[in-house]
Amino acid sequence: MIESTDKIKNNSNQAYFYWYLVFFSNKTGTLYKQTMEKMNTVLNNMSNSRYFNDTSTNVKLTEIKKQLDGPSDKDKLECMKKLIAMISKGRDVSEVFPQVVKNVIAKNLELKKLVYMYLVHYAESEHESALLAINTFQKSLVDKSQVIRASALRVMSSIRVVDIIQLLNDNSTMVLGAAMMAFVEVCPDRYDILHQHYRKICQLLADFDEWSQTVTIGVLTKYARTQFKCPDSTINDKNVKQYKKKTSFYSDEEDDDSNENQLQSPKSKLYDSMDAEEIDIDHRLLLKSCLPLLQSRSNAVVMAVSSLYYYIAPVIEAQKVGKSLVRLLRSSPEVQYITLTNISTMVTMRPNMFEPYLSEFFIHSTDPEYSIKLKLEILTRLATGENISRILKEFKEYVRNEDKKFAAETIQAIGRCAATIPDVTESCTYGLMSLLSNSSQVVVAEAVIVLKRLLQLNADNSNSSIKHENVIMHLAKLLETLEVPSARASIIWVIGEYSHKIPMVAPDVLRKLAKSFADEDESVKLQILNLGAKLHFHNPEQTKLLFQYIINQAKFDMNYDIRDSARMMKLLLISTEKNPSLSGHAKSIFINQKPFPTEISISEDRKRFILGSFSHIVNHSVSGYQPLSDFPEVPPDPTVRQPKQWVPEVKNNIFLREESFYSDEEEEDEDEDEEFDGASEEEDDDDEDSQDELEKFFSDSSDSSTPKKANGKSNKKSKKSKKQVKQQEDNEFDEDMDDMDELFGVAEEMEKLEISSPTTTSVKKVLLKANVSQGLLIEYCFLRQLPEGIENESPSSVCIQLLLKNQSTEQTFENIKIGNKTLIDGADIKDFDEIASLEPGATTEALLFVTFNSLSQACKFEISTSIGNFPVALTPIIGEMVSPLEVDVEEWKGCFNALESKSVSDHVEIGEKLLGGGQQQLGNAVLMLLLENINLQATSANQNKTKIQFAAKTIIKSADLFINIELVESNQVVVTIRSSDTLTATLLLKKQLELLTR
């Protein structure tokens, strides 16, 4: 309404300006004519916008009915404008539906468009009346105007006529978009209808309107989940084949030149290596067609593409959407909230998608409360050992904020970081203790609650330098000043749970609390009763009478929970003679091992809904929501997507389209045909390439080519042969130069190295935390050398050493073994021998042989004990997924040159820690650094150690891998890796660059 009024005012000002020009201009001049045209446009806009501000239109429906039945198109157009204005203002004008539906046969294009707009709005509610005009709608489906075809399609989808799907054969993107929206309304599960049109839809997706793009991407996401195999289950298959980009008719890309490959970043090479792995060719088409839409100006389109990549793309390719989603955070607060909600769900499963954009989630002073909560949750999910110091530094500033609610949310985030990253638990605990002296009761209360959780998680950790007694005593002192009930209850719980650590303080705390029992909050009273019950066992001499006094007060409390608790405690702990059998188990009832606190965020709960859906935002299933199906184990026949209707007709090496995609005309102009016939030879060659490519893709039999095609192919071959001859000459020249260098002693001689790895194991990692398994800690590391007497039966498996420690004080673990396994195809775990028992404080070791069939998929299984089953996951470490390969210097050189076409390389600046000595000292440092972190065999090096060569064999695919390290400057190093296993080579390159830059 406001926008309409402003528009009228703006148009009025323009009208006054043009009247001024008319008054002072020559009526026969050009300026006069142009001014009058502008004047008519402005007046027309003013006349249209007045419908939104005219209140008189609300009372003239009877008159509108008469005019709609009349013969004048001008009056009908006026009435339809009034009706559309009423609809936009929320008024129900369905009573004129019979009069409007009669005008679908109108010949006036503007009137017909307005009628269709009205019918789309009311067609479903007035279903029977709309069916009267179904014949007219069907005739409009073949209208020359794409606007009329699309409008008719939208109306028919509103009344749910299945025959509309025939318009998927249309080549207009406007009609195709409307057809996809109709598909969602009429038959969203009939994916068999889409098979023949799938490739055309993917190819033309970029030209759809933005709303149609959003709907179509959603449909294609669900289609892909039913028609293609999970990409991560096949991406590392041993029988993987190279994917050739030029074999597809829809590919616009050529193979990159070698120079371009050298300029690529490691990240782009990583994606290119994934392109080389085989997934279904139509699956790849969908991903490539949607990728450019990440640059769309529509936020909904970007969100839809991000959802598609998250659900159907390989894990490593899904990282491409991170930057585009972060860009949406600069939009309006509403868009920011939707984007953050989706990102918070994504980071629960794939935090590496957004780790490079950590600073984008830092909180600004203008951020609303709902954005602050989501950003804090995302930051805690992105926290790792490398970036935690940066995040905690940011949190330190947030805690000082004047908004105490914001500060309290930050304290909760600090607690989550401390719980998930053990390395910072101590520093976070000390930081939270410093907040206990804050002037704000809200901040102090939140710090107390978080400290309680951290104490419960780390109370039995003997390696911690934190003195928990000091923390508990510090908390006990706060009871004199702290008034927030939740914080007081948390402190009392901590004192009761760990009263054996402060035996002199706990009874005095109970004495003070007994005085104020009647004035305490209900939650505090319950914790006082629990404290008294626990001290009844630990220190009955000092607390027995106090406990009876508190129970007598609780018997007359207004809250029935407190009264019931007091009666039960009196029966079990004081009047024990009435129930001796039950009283004998009283200690195990009140003093036992408490479950460790777990916090399930709302973002994890949202994972059950599709990203970007309304159900995902409100976190419950709304009407009409359809969940995403799982990938099929065996994908359906891909030949069903072979196009039969959308095939360009080829004649005399010229593409003749039946009709243009974007034109309303049926035939091409003759002048355009003549101009096309006179095209250059270079264009003819391109057309012949495309023609051969199409025929190769669509042909069902190996028919012989025409002589003209044969000539075209021979010309192409001759051009290629010239390039090959030139390249061969260049290679021979390079070889001759190398021979001359060796003849005159210019080339450096590579000496064989006799250096083994400085370590026999990888870095230890935690497999099972003690606070999760009630005291059983399991660490693991990859063994590079097997112990004597142990043999590895499979060359594709790795040996992992498990170190089991019982950190509990009383609990004995028995029958420790491997439980249920959840493995991908081709993966396997050889169980270790069952461990009969593990006493408190005892340690033992076990060997595990694991066959990984993926470099990104973890092997998930359960550790089964007498206490319960605990799920764990073994993640492959790229540095341990290769084994040393013994080769001599000449053999290394020959194999390295033979794999020139399968090479990845990059250069990087060396980190400061490696610098400081001479060139040879730097080479030795690089050599030992790589051998320590990656299971390689150092083959050879030159005298100054500026060139170092390594060899290895990949575990999964048993492919030879060769690495060349060259120090080109004082602080520059070039890394080149060649192997037929391009995925492992690319990941190893990334790993080595990270090591060298640290």
Side-chain angles (χ1 to χ4, degrees):
M1 187 71 182
I2 295 174
E3 293 177 358
S4 302
T5 307
D6 292 341
K7 187 175 180 181
I8 293 172
K9 292 178 181 178
N10 188 32
N11 291 334
S12 300
N13 293 334
Q14 292 181 23
Y16 292 141
F17 171 72
Y18 290 126
W19 275 118
Y20 178 83
L21 289 178
V22 170
F23 184 77
F24 287 102
S25 62
N26 182 6
K27 292 191 176 182
T28 60
T30 305
L31 178 61
Y32 175 80
K33 295 179 181 179
Q34 294 176 350
T35 304
M36 289 303 297
E37 291 176 359
K38 293 283 187 180
M39 186 70 185
N40 291 333
T41 302
V42 171
L43 291 177
N44 185 41
N45 291 337
M46 290 177 61
S47 63
N48 288 336
S49 61
R50 65 185 171 83
Y51 296 107
F52 296 94
N53 201 34
D54 187 4
T55 56
S56 62
T57 58
N58 295 335
V59 294
K60 296 181 179 179
L61 287 183
T62 54
E63 190 173 323
I64 288 176
K65 290 180 181 179
K66 294 179 182 179
Q67 291 179 348
L68 287 174
D69 289 334
S72 173
D73 284 351
K74 184 178 180 181
D75 292 340
K76 292 179 181 179
L77 186 61
E78 184 83 5
C79 293
M80 289 308 303
K81 290 179 179 180
K82 292 179 181 180
L83 289 175
I84 298 300
M86 293 181 195
I87 292 173
S88 66
K89 292 191 291 184
R91 184 178 175 188
D92 182 15
V93 290
S94 58
E95 59 180 279
V96 297
F97 189 91
Q99 286 75 25
V100 174
V101 77
K102 294 176 185 177
N103 289 282
V104 294
I105 60 174
K107 295 182 179 180
N108 187 307
L109 182 61
E110 188 176 359
L111 175 60
K112 203 166 190 176
K113 287 192 291 185
L114 292 176
V115 169
Y116 280 146
M117 289 174 63
Y118 177 93
L119 294 178
V120 167
H121 191 76
Y122 287 110
E124 191 164 0
S125 59
E126 299 287 341
H127 186 268
E128 298 297 330
S129 300
L131 286 176
L132 298 175
I134 192 68
N135 291 332
T136 304
F137 298 146
Q138 289 178 333
K139 291 179 181 178
S140 297
L141 292 177
V142 294
D143 194 275
K144 292 183 178 181
S145 172
Q146 59 181 0
V147 177
I148 296 300
R149 296 201 304 271
S151 300
L153 185 54
R154 288 191 175 93
V155 176
M156 294 187 70
S157 65
S158 300
I159 57 179
R160 300 183 181 277
V161 179
V162 182
D163 293 340
I164 58 173
I165 306 303
Q166 65 179 338
L167 280 193
L168 286 170
N169 295 322
D170 203 298
N171 290 336
S172 168
T173 54
M174 181 177 289
V175 179
L176 273 176
M180 292 303 297
M181 298 176 73
F183 175 85
V184 174
E185 293 290 334
V186 179
C187 47
D189 298 326
R190 290 285 308 278
Y191 296 123
D192 57 300
I193 297 175
L194 298 180
H195 289 327
Q196 297 296 321
H197 313 283
Y198 171 82
R199 293 173 180 169
K200 178 176 68 174
I201 293 171
C202 291
Q203 183 72 3
L204 300 178
L205 183 59
D207 295 324
F208 284 18
D209 64 90
E210 293 168 345
W211 188 245
S212 298
Q213 284 175 344
T214 305
V215 174
T216 303
I217 292 171
V219 172
L220 293 177
T221 302
K222 295 179 179 179
Y223 178 89
R225 294 281 289 208
T226 61
Q227 302 299 317
F228 305 130
K229 194 174 181 180
C230 177
D232 293 317
S233 64
T234 60
I235 205 72
N236 292 297
D237 195 349
K238 294 181 179 179
N239 297 323
V240 73
K241 297 179 180 178
Q242 293 293 325
Y243 166 70
K244 297 182 180 179
K245 297 182 179 179
K246 293 171 68 174
T247 58
S248 171
F249 81 94
Y250 45 72
S251 176
D252 295 325
E253 299 177 5
E254 298 290 334
D255 287 341
D256 296 333
D257 295 335
S258 60
N259 294 335
E260 294 178 354
N261 286 336
Q262 292 177 0
L263 296 175
Q264 283 182 317
S265 64
K267 191 170 184 180
S268 64
K269 291 174 184 174
L270 190 62
Y271 295 145
D272 290 344
S273 68
M274 299 304 296
D275 280 348
E277 305 291 352
E278 183 190 22
I279 62 175
D280 191 285
I281 196 168
D282 290 317
H283 193 168
R284 177 62 61 191
L285 168 63
L286 176 58
L287 295 176
K288 286 192 172 184
S289 300
C290 291
L291 187 60
L293 298 182
L294 288 174
Q295 308 298 325
S296 174
R297 63 182 180 180
S298 171
N299 299 327
V301 173
V302 175
M303 190 65 250
V305 176
S306 302
S307 177
L308 179 140
Y309 262 78
Y310 182 80
Y311 287 117
I312 72 168
V315 173
I316 200 165
E317 291 191 36
Q319 299 180 15
K320 298 178 181 180
V321 305
K323 186 175 182 180
S324 299
L325 282 178
V326 169
R327 174 171 56 86
L328 300 186
L329 297 179
R330 301 181 179 92
S331 304
S332 62
E334 295 80 10
V335 174
Q336 187 184 65
Y337 172 72
I338 300 296
T339 306
L340 286 172
T341 302
N342 286 275
I343 292 177
S344 65
T345 301
M346 289 181 178
V347 295
T348 58
M349 297 294 293
R350 302 175 187 175
N352 57 334
M353 291 174 59
F354 301 96
E355 283 179 2
Y357 315 106
L358 181 68
S359 59
E360 297 291 340
F361 301 104
F362 289 166
I363 295 168
H364 305 285
S365 58
T366 56
D367 286 342
E369 181 182 347
Y370 49 80
S371 294
I372 289 175
K373 289 182 178 180
L374 289 169
K375 282 188 174 182
L376 285 174
E377 183 178 353
I378 292 171
L379 286 173
T380 56
R381 296 281 182 184
L382 296 178
T384 61
E386 289 77 15
N387 61 23
I388 186 61
S389 58
R390 187 181 176 193
I391 293 176
L392 290 180
K393 185 178 179 181
E394 193 75 14
F395 285 170
K396 187 178 179 180
E397 298 297 326
Y398 299 162
V399 171
R400 300 172 183 171
N401 196 283
E402 295 179 357
D403 185 356
K404 300 308 175 187
K405 194 171 182 180
F406 173 31
E409 294 281 352
T410 304
I411 293 171
Q412 292 181 11
I414 293 174
R416 290 195 293 269
C417 291
T420 55
I421 304 177
D423 294 340
V424 297
T425 302
E426 295 182 11
S427 60
C428 289
T429 302
Y430 289 128
L432 292 171
M433 288 183 65
S434 66
L435 295 176
L436 298 179
S437 59
N438 195 287
S439 58
S440 172
Q441 290 273 323
V442 177
V443 172
V444 175
E446 201 63 48
V448 167
I449 295 171
V450 173
L451 277 172
K452 171 204 165 188
R453 294 184 64 248
L454 293 180
L455 283 173
Q456 193 176 359
L457 285 170
N458 299 280
D460 297 329
N461 188 359
S462 58
N463 298 325
S464 176
S465 63
I466 301 175
K467 294 184 178 180
H468 295 90
E469 297 83 357
N470 296 340
V471 178
I472 298 170
M473 291 180 67
H474 197 82
L475 292 175
K477 293 178 182 179
L478 291 176
L479 287 173
E480 299 178 0
T481 57
L482 193 60
E483 297 179 357
V484 180
S486 59
R488 290 178 65 84
S490 297
I491 293 175
I492 298 169
W493 183 91
V494 170
I495 295 172
E497 184 70 14
Y498 307 107
S499 57
H500 58 282
K501 295 188 177 184
I502 50 171
M504 303 300 294
V505 178
D508 192 55
V509 172
L510 183 64
R511 177 183 62 81
K512 293 181 179 180
L513 292 173
K515 294 180 181 179
S516 60
F517 182 84
D519 300 325
E520 297 286 357
D521 187 79
E522 295 170 359
S523 60
V524 179
K525 290 178 180 179
L526 288 172
Q527 292 302 329
I528 293 174
L529 286 172
N530 290 334
L531 174 61
K534 292 173 183 177
L535 290 177
H536 180 79
F537 294 103
H538 292 307
N539 196 347
E541 295 81 7
Q542 290 181 308
T543 59
K544 184 175 182 180
L545 294 176
L546 272 174
F547 184 48
Q548 291 181 0
Y549 173 71
I550 293 172
I551 285 182
N552 289 333
Q553 290 187 79
K555 284 196 305 182
F556 304 100
D557 197 88
M558 297 294 292
N559 186 279
Y560 61 85
D561 283 337
I562 297 173
R563 295 198 303 270
D564 291 346
S565 297
R567 293 190 186 100
M568 182 191 69
M569 290 180 181
K570 183 178 180 180
L571 188 65
L572 292 176
L573 304 177
I574 298 175
S575 303
T576 56
E577 66 279 356
K578 294 183 179 180
N579 288 286
S581 59
L582 190 59
S583 299
H585 300 281
K587 185 174 182 179
S588 61
I589 293 174
F590 291 100
I591 301 178
N592 49 49
Q593 184 73 28
K594 304 296 188 299
F596 291 98
T598 57
E599 185 179 359
I600 300 177
S601 68
I602 191 173
S603 298
E604 289 187 354
D605 192 33
R606 283 194 177 109
K607 289 191 297 186
R608 53 201 173 106
F609 299 112
I610 301 176
L611 290 174
S613 65
F614 186 45
S615 297
H616 178 264
I617 299 300
V618 299
N619 198 27
H620 66 80
S621 183
V622 298
S623 177
Y625 172 77
Q626 292 182 338
L628 204 61
S629 60
D630 294 330
F631 282 106
E633 294 184 2
V634 179
D637 184 11
T639 58
V640 296
R641 288 182 292 277
Q642 194 78 12
K644 294 181 180 179
Q645 299 178 358
W646 190 65
V647 182
E649 181 183 351
V650 182
K651 185 177 180 181
N652 295 330
N653 293 331
I654 298 176
F655 287 104
L656 300 178
R657 293 177 291 183
E658 294 180 356
E659 57 176 309
S660 175
F661 281 173
Y662 310 106
S663 174
D664 294 335
E665 300 178 2
E666 295 292 331
E667 296 180 355
E668 298 286 333
D669 194 275
E670 294 181 1
D671 295 337
E672 294 177 355
D673 291 339
E674 292 174 2
E675 182 180 353
F676 187 80
D677 290 336
S680 64
E681 293 181 1
E682 184 177 354
E683 293 175 350
D684 290 340
D685 291 339
D686 293 339
D687 289 343
E688 289 172 4
D689 292 344
S690 303
Q691 173 188 340
D692 295 338
E693 191 174 340
L694 279 168
E695 290 186 348
K696 182 179 180 181
F697 187 87
F698 287 116
S699 62
D700 296 328
S701 59
S702 55
D703 297 335
S704 60
S705 303
T706 61
K708 192 166 186 177
K709 293 179 186 175
N711 293 335
K713 290 185 179 180
S714 63
N715 290 335
K716 288 192 291 181
K717 288 182 179 179
S718 64
K719 293 178 182 178
K720 289 184 179 179
S721 62
K722 291 178 181 179
K723 292 182 180 179
Q724 292 173 355
V725 169
K726 184 177 180 181
Q727 184 177 2
Q728 184 176 357
E729 291 175 353
D730 292 340
N731 293 338
E732 291 176 355
F733 177 78
D734 293 339
E735 292 176 0
D736 293 339
M737 291 299 296
D738 292 339
D739 294 338
M740 294 294 291
D741 289 341
E742 292 178 3
L743 179 63
F744 290 101
V746 177
E748 292 185 282
E749 184 178 355
M750 303 299 290
E751 300 176 354
K752 185 173 179 60
L753 293 177
E754 300 292 343
I755 301 177
S756 59
S757 175
T759 178
T760 58
T761 63
S762 66
V763 178
K764 285 186 179 180
K765 292 195 174 186
V766 176
L767 180 66
L768 180 62
K769 294 182 179 180
N771 56 12
V772 175
S773 60
Q774 302 182 21
L776 179 60
L777 173 66
I778 303 181
E779 297 176 324
Y780 72 97
C781 63
F782 287 74
L783 287 185
R784 297 181 180 179
Q785 293 181 3
L786 295 179
E788 294 184 5
I790 303 296
E791 293 184 359
N792 191 350
E793 298 178 357
S794 173
S796 61
S797 64
V798 293
C799 182
I800 297 177
Q801 184 182 51
L802 303 181
L803 180 62
L804 298 89
K805 300 179 183 178
N806 187 351
Q807 293 188 346
S808 64
T809 56
E810 300 178 356
Q811 183 68 52
T812 299
F813 292 90
E814 299 177 348
N815 303 327
I816 304 174
K817 60 182 179 179
I818 300 293
N820 295 330
K821 304 174 187 176
T822 306
L823 306 174
I824 64 173
D825 294 340
D828 188 29
I829 296 178
K830 184 179 178 182
D831 298 2
F832 58 82
D833 295 335
E834 181 177 328
I835 300 173
S837 65
L838 193 63
E839 300 293 332
T843 62
T844 187
E845 295 179 353
L847 290 181
L848 202 62
F849 288 93
V850 181
T851 301
F852 294 100
N853 196 31
S854 169
L855 293 175
S856 60
Q857 296 290 315
C859 289
K860 300 178 181 179
F861 58 96
E862 291 182 348
I863 297 293
S864 177
T865 68
S866 57
I867 306 300
N869 296 333
F870 306 103
V872 295
L874 276 173
T875 305
I877 301 175
I878 184 59
E880 306 302 323
M881 298 309 294
V882 293
S883 60
L885 178 64
E886 288 279 354
V887 293
D888 56 33
V889 179
E890 292 301 323
E891 186 180 357
W892 187 97
K893 183 178 179 181
C895 296
F896 188 78
N897 293 333
L899 292 169
E900 184 178 2
S901 61
K902 298 179 180 179
S903 174
V904 291
S905 65
D906 199 5
H907 66 279
V908 71
E909 290 187 4
I910 298 177
E912 295 180 359
K913 292 184 178 181
L914 292 176
L915 300 175
Q919 197 80 321
Q920 186 170 3
Q921 185 176 352
L922 176 60
N924 288 328
V926 171
L927 174 62
M928 300 309 295
L929 176 67
L930 295 182
L931 289 178
E932 183 178 351
N933 290 276
I934 304 175
N935 193 13
L936 300 172
Q937 174 66 47
T939 304
S940 56
N942 60 3
Q943 186 175 3
N944 296 328
K945 295 291 190 341
T946 57
K947 289 184 180 180
I948 311 173
Q949 298 169 347
F950 301 89
K953 183 179 286 291
T954 62
I955 298 293
I956 294 181
K957 296 185 179 180
S958 298
D960 294 344
L961 183 141
F962 303 95
I963 302 174
N964 183 63
I965 305 291
E966 184 174 358
L967 303 175
V968 292
E969 295 179 9
S970 58
N971 64 339
Q972 293 277 339
V973 62
V974 176
V975 182
T976 304
I977 304 179
R978 295 181 181 179
S979 175
S980 58
D981 187 351
T982 54
L983 177 60
T984 304
T986 307
L987 293 177
L988 268 181
L989 175 65
K990 182 180 178 182
K991 173 71 174 177
Q992 292 186 24
L993 296 180
E994 290 177 355
L995 292 172
L996 294 171
T997 53
R998 283 181 185 174

